[in-house]
Amino acid sequence: MTWIIELKRDIRFENLQDFDPNWLLFGIMVDPYRDDITDYFLTSPHLERYRDAPAAVNTARDLSLLINGVFEIFAVEPTLHMGTHRMLCAEPLREIGRFSVWPAGLEFTMPYSALDEGWVNWRRTEREFRSTVSGNFCALCLHSKKIRNIALTFGYLGVNWISLFSALEHLDLSDRDMIERYGITNAQLSAFRGTANNFSILGPAARHGAWRGAPPRRQTTLAEAREFVMGLVRREAQILAQQPEFLDAMTLIHRAD
């Protein structure tokens, strides 16, 4: 079954067609029957696993958080933070449900897995894996729980001091290891941590309320913090994408015959 998510008319994806060249997370569908204005739909092989419409709608909501998080990391405008979205069945085209990517209701919890981790057991193609920076990152959202949780955090919270600090914690490295692994300085880390944690600097935007440490001598703006943390996340993804287990997984699901 092909399930698709209707996108707003003012969204154009000409520059995003190759963002996920292996279609591991999402793809773009264009309505071929409209000649006055182009209709774009977001779809995904992860949705096509379901025969049950409510299950597909729930998966679309979870998947949207992951996709928005990836776009945040690459400084691409998120496509699904726009209220309620229609889910449709493409065969024939009809509405099967609606979902919102914003947290809503007392029962809403963040979907930490987002997608079934057994994806390698069913996602197979006969084309060769195309390695690109963004394509590798999309694949790592499924292959690496670390990368997936970072993307989900930004998709759920957006970019703020709390989500940026959370991403740093998801990397799960000591300061010394981060300095060696990413080629950064202790001064950069100290400026970010000291600013993000300090209520006297950020007020309610700070990660902590009462913070015993003195304000850092060098403070960081939110724009600088975003560039700093996103750079670490993208660098970690580049490192993970070179590991043999990742390459083996990509070879398994993209068997070039």
PDB file of all heavy atoms in Angstrom, residues 182-198:
ATOM      1  N   TYR A 182      36.968  15.499  17.176  1.00  0.00           N
ATOM      2  CA  TYR A 182      36.379  16.497  16.286  1.00  0.00           C
ATOM      3  C   TYR A 182      37.302  17.681  15.990  1.00  0.00           C
ATOM      4  O   TYR A 182      36.930  18.558  15.205  1.00  0.00           O
ATOM      5  CB  TYR A 182      35.077  17.027  16.895  1.00  0.00           C
ATOM      6  CG  TYR A 182      34.082  15.957  17.248  1.00  0.00           C
ATOM      7  CD1 TYR A 182      33.438  15.968  18.480  1.00  0.00           C
ATOM      8  CD2 TYR A 182      33.776  14.920  16.364  1.00  0.00           C
ATOM      9  CE1 TYR A 182      32.511  14.985  18.816  1.00  0.00           C
ATOM     10  CE2 TYR A 182      32.856  13.927  16.690  1.00  0.00           C
ATOM     11  CZ  TYR A 182      32.226  13.967  17.917  1.00  0.00           C
ATOM     12  OH  TYR A 182      31.316  12.999  18.250  1.00  0.00           O
ATOM     13  N   GLY A 183      38.453  17.744  16.631  1.00  0.00           N
ATOM     14  CA  GLY A 183      39.377  18.841  16.367  1.00  0.00           C
ATOM     15  C   GLY A 183      38.895  20.186  16.873  1.00  0.00           C
ATOM     16  O   GLY A 183      39.117  21.224  16.237  1.00  0.00           O
ATOM     17  N   ILE A 184      38.213  20.178  18.037  1.00  0.00           N
ATOM     18  CA  ILE A 184      37.732  21.419  18.638  1.00  0.00           C
ATOM     19  C   ILE A 184      38.626  21.770  19.826  1.00  0.00           C
ATOM     20  O   ILE A 184      39.576  21.049  20.136  1.00  0.00           O
ATOM     21  CB  ILE A 184      36.265  21.293  19.088  1.00  0.00           C
ATOM     22  CG1 ILE A 184      36.119  20.136  20.090  1.00  0.00           C
ATOM     23  CG2 ILE A 184      35.368  21.092  17.879  1.00  0.00           C
ATOM     24  CD1 ILE A 184      34.721  19.985  20.653  1.00  0.00           C
ATOM     25  N   THR A 185      38.317  22.865  20.500  1.00  0.00           N
ATOM     26  CA  THR A 185      39.132  23.291  21.631  1.00  0.00           C
ATOM     27  C   THR A 185      38.334  23.211  22.928  1.00  0.00           C
ATOM     28  O   THR A 185      37.102  23.246  22.919  1.00  0.00           O
ATOM     29  CB  THR A 185      39.628  24.740  21.447  1.00  0.00           C
ATOM     30  OG1 THR A 185      38.502  25.627  21.483  1.00  0.00           O
ATOM     31  CG2 THR A 185      40.355  24.898  20.115  1.00  0.00           C
ATOM     32  N   ASN A 186      39.042  23.140  24.015  1.00  0.00           N
ATOM     33  CA  ASN A 186      38.399  23.141  25.323  1.00  0.00           C
ATOM     34  C   ASN A 186      37.678  24.468  25.578  1.00  0.00           C
ATOM     35  O   ASN A 186      36.642  24.511  26.237  1.00  0.00           O
ATOM     36  CB  ASN A 186      39.435  22.890  26.420  1.00  0.00           C
ATOM     37  CG  ASN A 186      38.791  22.696  27.777  1.00  0.00           C
ATOM     38  OD1 ASN A 186      38.001  21.779  27.984  1.00  0.00           O
ATOM     39  ND2 ASN A 186      39.135  23.577  28.715  1.00  0.00           N
ATOM     40  N   ALA A 187      38.231  25.559  25.032  1.00  0.00           N
ATOM     41  CA  ALA A 187      37.606  26.878  25.202  1.00  0.00           C
ATOM     42  C   ALA A 187      36.225  26.912  24.531  1.00  0.00           C
ATOM     43  O   ALA A 187      35.286  27.490  25.073  1.00  0.00           O
ATOM     44  CB  ALA A 187      38.510  27.953  24.610  1.00  0.00           C
ATOM     45  N   GLN A 188      36.095  26.288  23.367  1.00  0.00           N
ATOM     46  CA  GLN A 188      34.794  26.230  22.693  1.00  0.00           C
ATOM     47  C   GLN A 188      33.783  25.448  23.527  1.00  0.00           C
ATOM     48  O   GLN A 188      32.630  25.871  23.678  1.00  0.00           O
ATOM     49  CB  GLN A 188      34.942  25.569  21.318  1.00  0.00           C
ATOM     50  CG  GLN A 188      35.652  26.412  20.281  1.00  0.00           C
ATOM     51  CD  GLN A 188      35.848  25.650  18.985  1.00  0.00           C
ATOM     52  OE1 GLN A 188      36.554  24.644  18.931  1.00  0.00           O
ATOM     53  NE2 GLN A 188      35.213  26.147  17.931  1.00  0.00           N
ATOM     54  N   LEU A 189      34.207  24.306  24.047  1.00  0.00           N
ATOM     55  CA  LEU A 189      33.314  23.496  24.883  1.00  0.00           C
ATOM     56  C   LEU A 189      32.912  24.247  26.146  1.00  0.00           C
ATOM     57  O   LEU A 189      31.737  24.254  26.528  1.00  0.00           O
ATOM     58  CB  LEU A 189      33.998  22.184  25.263  1.00  0.00           C
ATOM     59  CG  LEU A 189      33.958  21.053  24.234  1.00  0.00           C
ATOM     60  CD1 LEU A 189      34.848  19.901  24.689  1.00  0.00           C
ATOM     61  CD2 LEU A 189      32.531  20.567  24.023  1.00  0.00           C
ATOM     62  N   SER A 190      33.873  24.881  26.793  1.00  0.00           N
ATOM     63  CA  SER A 190      33.589  25.593  28.038  1.00  0.00           C
ATOM     64  C   SER A 190      32.639  26.765  27.808  1.00  0.00           C
ATOM     65  O   SER A 190      31.725  27.010  28.611  1.00  0.00           O
ATOM     66  CB  SER A 190      34.896  26.101  28.659  1.00  0.00           C
ATOM     67  OG  SER A 190      35.742  25.009  29.002  1.00  0.00           O
ATOM     68  N   ALA A 191      32.827  27.480  26.711  1.00  0.00           N
ATOM     69  CA  ALA A 191      31.954  28.609  26.415  1.00  0.00           C
ATOM     70  C   ALA A 191      30.531  28.134  26.162  1.00  0.00           C
ATOM     71  O   ALA A 191      29.559  28.744  26.634  1.00  0.00           O
ATOM     72  CB  ALA A 191      32.486  29.370  25.207  1.00  0.00           C
ATOM     73  N   PHE A 192      30.394  27.030  25.429  1.00  0.00           N
ATOM     74  CA  PHE A 192      29.055  26.511  25.153  1.00  0.00           C
ATOM     75  C   PHE A 192      28.394  25.998  26.420  1.00  0.00           C
ATOM     76  O   PHE A 192      27.255  26.354  26.739  1.00  0.00           O
ATOM     77  CB  PHE A 192      29.120  25.393  24.113  1.00  0.00           C
ATOM     78  CG  PHE A 192      27.812  24.669  23.945  1.00  0.00           C
ATOM     79  CD1 PHE A 192      26.746  25.272  23.304  1.00  0.00           C
ATOM     80  CD2 PHE A 192      27.633  23.391  24.476  1.00  0.00           C
ATOM     81  CE1 PHE A 192      25.521  24.620  23.180  1.00  0.00           C
ATOM     82  CE2 PHE A 192      26.422  22.730  24.346  1.00  0.00           C
ATOM     83  CZ  PHE A 192      25.359  23.349  23.696  1.00  0.00           C
ATOM     84  N   ARG A 193      29.085  25.143  27.164  1.00  0.00           N
ATOM     85  CA  ARG A 193      28.503  24.565  28.384  1.00  0.00           C
ATOM     86  C   ARG A 193      28.156  25.657  29.397  1.00  0.00           C
ATOM     87  O   ARG A 193      27.073  25.654  29.997  1.00  0.00           O
ATOM     88  CB  ARG A 193      29.473  23.562  29.015  1.00  0.00           C
ATOM     89  CG  ARG A 193      29.696  22.284  28.232  1.00  0.00           C
ATOM     90  CD  ARG A 193      30.543  21.338  29.056  1.00  0.00           C
ATOM     91  NE  ARG A 193      31.021  20.207  28.308  1.00  0.00           N
ATOM     92  CZ  ARG A 193      30.303  19.100  28.065  1.00  0.00           C
ATOM     93  NH1 ARG A 193      29.068  19.025  28.506  1.00  0.00           N
ATOM     94  NH2 ARG A 193      30.827  18.099  27.387  1.00  0.00           N
ATOM     95  N   GLY A 194      29.069  26.579  29.598  1.00  0.00           N
ATOM     96  CA  GLY A 194      28.851  27.619  30.595  1.00  0.00           C
ATOM     97  C   GLY A 194      27.676  28.512  30.244  1.00  0.00           C
ATOM     98  O   GLY A 194      26.919  28.935  31.131  1.00  0.00           O
ATOM     99  N   THR A 195      27.514  28.808  28.962  1.00  0.00           N
ATOM    100  CA  THR A 195      26.390  29.643  28.538  1.00  0.00           C
ATOM    101  C   THR A 195      25.079  28.870  28.612  1.00  0.00           C
ATOM    102  O   THR A 195      24.078  29.366  29.144  1.00  0.00           O
ATOM    103  CB  THR A 195      26.602  30.145  27.101  1.00  0.00           C
ATOM    104  OG1 THR A 195      27.849  30.839  27.008  1.00  0.00           O
ATOM    105  CG2 THR A 195      25.469  31.078  26.680  1.00  0.00           C
ATOM    106  N   ALA A 196      25.065  27.642  28.081  1.00  0.00           N
ATOM    107  CA  ALA A 196      23.832  26.847  28.020  1.00  0.00           C
ATOM    108  C   ALA A 196      23.273  26.534  29.396  1.00  0.00           C
ATOM    109  O   ALA A 196      22.049  26.438  29.567  1.00  0.00           O
ATOM    110  CB  ALA A 196      24.098  25.538  27.267  1.00  0.00           C
ATOM    111  N   ASN A 197      24.137  26.405  30.396  1.00  0.00           N
ATOM    112  CA  ASN A 197      23.702  25.995  31.729  1.00  0.00           C
ATOM    113  C   ASN A 197      23.382  27.161  32.657  1.00  0.00           C
ATOM    114  O   ASN A 197      22.841  26.947  33.738  1.00  0.00           O
ATOM    115  CB  ASN A 197      24.786  25.139  32.390  1.00  0.00           C
ATOM    116  CG  ASN A 197      24.852  23.748  31.798  1.00  0.00           C
ATOM    117  OD1 ASN A 197      23.837  23.172  31.426  1.00  0.00           O
ATOM    118  ND2 ASN A 197      26.059  23.200  31.709  1.00  0.00           N
ATOM    119  N   ASN A 198      23.694  28.378  32.252  1.00  0.00           N
ATOM    120  CA  ASN A 198      23.677  29.493  33.194  1.00  0.00           C
ATOM    121  C   ASN A 198      22.416  30.339  33.083  1.00  0.00           C
ATOM    122  O   ASN A 198      22.187  31.039  32.094  1.00  0.00           O
ATOM    123  CB  ASN A 198      24.921  30.371  32.971  1.00  0.00           C
ATOM    124  CG  ASN A 198      25.299  31.118  34.218  1.00  0.00           C
ATOM    125  OD1 ASN A 198      24.513  31.901  34.732  1.00  0.00           O
ATOM    126  ND2 ASN A 198      26.506  30.860  34.722  1.00  0.00           N
TER     127      ASN A 198
END
